[in-house]
Amino acid sequence: MDEGKERIHGAELFRSIVSEKRPAWIGGILEAVLVAARWDFLGFGQRMLTICRDRSAWGTAENLFHELRQASLNFEIEGSPVECAIVDLLEISAKVVFNASGARPGFDAHAGERVLSRVWQIMRFIDRYPGREELLCRVEEALWRGAKKV
């Protein structure tokens, strides 16, 4: 899939998911990606997963986003492409979850439209992983879980 199609499909997919279901959806995607990549930036992934699973904690995703942004400033120069893409996915996740909390002001409402393209980018980076086919299936299942049936 080329980048243009990834963006279009990503936007359609994200808009098809009801706001209240987005934290569980993004949590499933993030969990599958962290397993596939076997890497978690300073434990932020696990912290984000904990927030995704606890509706009362969704509003704390804003704090996690700011902590993550501060911690990743120098990392963006030093990190590998897959690591930088995972950090970006973590930032997107924090935005999506915080926005689902209903707290204001929210992050950019369209941030989640980038999930699909970011995930495919990550999966291309780790294409040499031994269990790649199984992991691709898990990631794909997580991506489409939560989408409305059309």
Side-chain angles (χ1 to χ4, degrees):
M1 186 179 318
D2 67 36
E3 191 174 327
K5 287 182 182 177
E6 286 175 359
R7 287 184 183 181
I8 291 168
H9 291 305
E12 291 172 359
L13 174 62
F14 182 69
R15 285 191 301 261
S16 76
I17 300 167
V18 179
S19 181
E20 301 82 39
K21 300 216 181 259
R22 289 176 179 167
W25 171 75
I26 198 84
I29 294 165
L30 187 57
E31 184 172 34
V33 167
L34 292 173
V35 167
R38 294 182 280 167
W39 184 80
D40 182 2
F41 180 65
L42 302 174
F44 279 98
Q46 291 306 311
R47 289 176 58 197
M48 189 69 244
L49 289 174
T50 299
I51 292 170
C52 289
R53 294 176 183 135
D54 180 1
R55 185 182 188 106
S56 68
W58 291 356
T60 66
E62 179 183 33
N63 295 334
L64 186 130
F65 172 84
H66 292 298
E67 283 181 54
L68 175 60
R69 178 59 63 93
Q70 195 63 31
S72 67
L73 287 175
N74 290 331
F75 182 77
E76 291 175 4
I77 297 166
E78 303 162 3
S80 71
V82 70
E83 292 168 340
C84 291
I86 290 171
V87 169
D88 190 44
L89 180 61
L90 285 165
E91 289 183 2
I92 293 168
S93 300
K95 289 178 177 183
V96 167
V97 173
F98 181 74
N99 287 348
S101 76
R104 295 289 172 247
F107 287 104
D108 46 321
H110 62 280
E113 295 177 5
R114 296 182 16 235
V115 170
L116 180 64
S117 61
R118 186 59 65 230
V119 167
W120 288 142
Q121 178 187 25
I122 292 166
M123 297 313 291
R124 283 192 296 270
F125 286 140
I126 60 173
D127 69 350
R128 292 185 191 95
Y129 183 77
R132 181 175 188 267
E133 290 304 315
E134 179 184 339
L135 288 168
L136 280 172
C137 289
R138 288 177 62 188
V139 170
E140 184 176 26
E141 179 185 323
L143 274 167
W144 296 108
R145 189 180 312 123
K148 292 179 188 173
K149 304 289 184 215
V150 179

